[in-house]
């Protein structure tokens, strides 16, 4: 992932969507969070994803998968 962050050739970031979900925080209180869509910026072009992800390990894994895909494609 460092090659993409160093060169600014590839950036993946979340954008909030309208859909929400409920989860518990560290104090065991129920809170509402927004789901996110991922945006992949390659050079000057942006690709907005259709899939919505919870703000947890699911989204982190998907971001890692995207970086890995473009890294393998680069070779």
């Amino acid at each position: 992932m460092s090659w993409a962050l160093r060169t600014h050739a590839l950036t993946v970031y979340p954008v909030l969507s309208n859909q929400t979900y409920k989860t518990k925080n560290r104090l065991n209180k129920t809170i509402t969070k927004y789901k996110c869509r991922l945006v992949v910026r390659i050079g000057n072009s942006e690709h907005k994803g259709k899939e919505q992800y919870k703000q947890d390990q699911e989204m982190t894994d998907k971001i890692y998968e995207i970086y890995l895909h473009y890294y393998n494609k680069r070779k």
Side-chain angles (χ1 to χ4, degrees), residues 5-50:
L5 299 174
R6 214 172 343 133
T7 61
H8 301 288
L10 173 66
T11 309
V12 181
Y13 59 92
V15 175
L16 296 178
S17 68
N18 296 341
Q19 193 173 2
T20 61
Y21 66 98
K22 294 197 182 289
T23 187
K24 295 196 183 247
N25 64 5
R26 295 179 193 164
L27 303 174
N28 210 18
K29 289 185 177 181
T30 302
I31 58 172
T32 303
K33 287 188 171 183
Y34 285 97
K35 287 191 173 185
C36 296
R37 287 193 168 109
L38 295 178
V39 177
V40 179
R41 179 182 289 170
I42 305 168
N44 292 333
S45 65
E46 282 188 359
H47 304 282
K48 296 180 182 176
K50 297 177 184 175

Side-chain angles (χ1 to χ4, degrees), residues 1 12 59-70:
M1 231 188 301
V12 181
M59 185 172 69
T60 305
D61 291 342
K62 188 61 180 180
I63 291 171
Y64 178 75
E65 182 182 322
I66 291 169
Y67 276 116
L68 187 63
H69 169 76
Y70 283 103

